[in-house]
Amino acid sequence: MSDRWLLRGAQILTCDPDFADLPRGDVLIEDGVIAALGPDLRVDNCRILELDGKLLMPGFIDTHRHTWQTPLRALGGDWTIMDYLAAVRVKLAPAFQARDLYAANLAGALEALDAGITTLVDYSHCIDSPEHADAALAGLEDAGIRALFSYGYAPGARESSALPTPASRMEEARRLRTTRLSSDDRLVRLGIALTEMQIPWESSRAELLSARELGVPITLHCSAWPVQGPSEIQKMAAEGLLGPDVLFVHCTWSPEEDLKRIADSGGSLSVTPETEMQMGMGFPITGRALRNGVRTTLGCDVVSSNGGDLFTAMRLALQVERAQVNAREGLPRALELKAARVLELVTRDAAEAIGLGRRTGSIRPGKDADLIVLAADALNMTPLNRPRDAVVLQAHAGNVESVMVRGRWVKHRGALLDVDLAAVRRRLLEARDAVLERVGGSATLLSEREELTKHWDTGSGLTPAKDAR
Ligand SMILES: [Zn+2]
C-alpha cells in the first residue's frame, strides 16, 4: 500500500497563487507528494493527523546559510565584517577537519528543520579536501533536510590544502556531479558557490562557466560593500553571463541599474538582514529589490553571529525596510511592504529562486509535501486574526510543532525524529573544542585583523562600508 497521510482540519496557508488559503481544510499526501487539498476530503486507507487549532503551511526556505559555522555559535556576536573575515575566513576555516564539518552540517541542518526550514542553500566555503566535501554533504543528508549543497570554490586557507588550485576544486565539484550528486531527484542536490570576486575576473568567469557546464544553480556574495570600478553584476552582464540560475547574496551597495539587470535576467537575491545590519554591509535592500522586480528571498547566513531561524529574518527584513521608508518620507500614510508579502519571500519565491519551484515552496497538488505545522493555538498566536501576519510578526521557532520533508516526518509533535540528539550535541561540542584548540583558543581569533585591514585598504581594490547609508 502506498504511504498516505491525511492532515485534517488545519487552517491552511497555501502560499500558492492558484490556491486560496483555507480557514479549515485537509491535505492528502501520497508517497511524499501532495495529492489533494480542500475542505472535508473523503479518503480511506490512510493515516490521519488531526490538526484542529493548528496552522499548516509550506516549509520555509533559507537561501543563504554557511551551515559549517554551527560550532562557532555566537562567537561573533560583536563582530564587524572585518572581524568576521579575520576570525572565521582566515583563522577558523582552515582549522576545520572533515569530521568537524560533518558535525556542523548535521547539527546546523537539524537546527534549521527544528525551526521549520525544510530547504536550505548551504553555502559551503570551507572545503579543503575531497573528504571535507564528502563529510559536509553527509551531514546534510543524515539530517533529512532538502538542500542545495553549494560547493564553495573559494580556496582553502590551509597551506597544505589538498585542493590548492581553482582547477582542482572544479574537478572536485565534477566528481560530486558525476557520482553522489548526479541526480536532481535527490533531496540534496549540487550547487556552486563562487569565490568572492576579489579574485581576477578571468577566474570568476571560469568558475561561472564550470557551474554552467555542470548544470547546477550558482550563488555568490555580491556588493556587500562599495565596489570601485565595474561591479560583478556589470561584468557578468557585459559578457552575457547573468541568468535565472544565479542567486546573488546581499547586494546592499548595488545601484538600481544592477538590480534591474538581475531582474531582467530572471536571477534572484538573498537578503540576510541580521548579518547585513550587524557587520556594516549597509541596510538590507528588500524593498528596493522588490520595487526593481528582483525575485527576493531571505537567509540566516551565519549562526557564528546571529539567529538560525527565518522568523527572525522575516521580522527584521520587514521592519528595517519600514523604518528606512518612514525615516525618508516621514509619517507614512500606508506601509508599502506588507507582512503577508514577506511570507512569500521564504516560501514560493525562494523555491523559484533556487530552481525548485515545481517541487516545493507552496501547498499545491503535485508538489512534494514539504510542510510545517505551527501551534496557532499557542498564546502568542491567539487569536489568529490575520494568520500570515501572525506568522511573520508573532510566531517563533518554538511554535513549530511538526515538520515534514517530502512526505517524511522529521519533527513530530515538538520532537525531532530518528535522531540521537545527545550524540549530535556531543559531536558538535567536540568539533567546537577541536577547532578552537587548533587555533590556540578563542583569545587569538582576531590576531590577524590588523594585517587583513591593511590588505583590505590597500591591495584589494575594495573599501569596507564606512557610511552604511
Ligand atoms: Zn554569506
Side-chain angles (χ1 to χ4, degrees), residues 26-248:
D26 307 339
V27 172
L28 176 67
I29 297 147
E30 291 182 347
D31 294 326
V33 174
I34 298 166
L37 158 73
D40 298 318
L41 297 180
R42 293 180 190 276
V43 190
D44 298 323
N45 297 325
C46 60
R47 285 177 284 180
I48 296 173
L49 181 65
E50 299 288 354
L51 292 177
D52 192 38
K54 309 298 180 187
L55 198 60
L56 182 66
M57 62 171 293
F60 300 128
I61 300 172
D62 178 351
T63 58
H64 188 68
R65 191 181 189 107
H66 305 290
T67 321
W68 65 269
Q69 292 179 25
T70 309
L72 311 179
R73 188 182 306 285
L75 286 176
D78 295 325
W79 283 346
T80 67
I81 184 70
M82 290 304 297
D83 298 334
Y84 168 83
L85 292 173
V88 176
R89 299 291 296 277
V90 175
K91 197 103 186 180
L92 289 161
F96 272 74
Q97 295 182 356
R99 59 178 300 161
D100 309 316
L101 285 187
Y102 175 80
N105 271 18
L106 175 63
L110 287 170
E111 174 192 0
L113 285 168
D114 195 41
I117 295 167
T118 50
T119 301
L120 62 82
V121 178
D122 178 31
Y123 199 115
S124 193
H125 60 350
C126 184
I127 297 175
D128 226 12
S129 71
E131 293 74 31
H132 280 70
D134 286 336
L137 176 55
L140 297 176
E141 289 180 331
D142 288 355
I145 201 163
R146 188 188 296 277
L148 277 186
F149 174 60
S150 293
Y151 185 97
Y153 274 161
R158 201 160 54 100
E159 281 170 14
S160 57
S161 173
L163 299 167
T165 62
S168 64
R169 296 190 286 277
M170 290 181 210
E171 191 49 42
E172 170 65 358
R174 175 175 303 284
R175 172 183 73 85
L176 291 171
R177 185 59 170 152
T178 52
T179 56
R180 289 175 69 183
L181 298 181
S182 59
S183 166
D184 288 335
D185 288 329
R186 303 171 81 263
L187 268 186
V188 181
R189 297 160 57 148
L190 185 65
I192 293 295
L194 303 187
T195 306
E196 287 86 348
M197 293 199 181
Q198 292 98 315
I199 61 175
W201 168 240
E202 294 69 38
S203 306
S204 299
R205 184 198 293 118
E207 291 188 357
L208 263 165
L209 294 177
S210 152
R212 290 259 160 77
E213 204 182 309
L214 300 177
V216 300
I218 297 161
T219 188
L220 70 151
H221 293 127
C222 182
S223 298
W225 42 80
V227 179
Q228 293 169 2
S231 69
E232 40 271 73
I233 295 167
Q234 286 156 20
K235 290 177 189 165
M236 288 168 72
E239 298 193 24
L241 291 171
L242 293 171
D245 54 351
V246 185
L247 172 69
F248 293 90

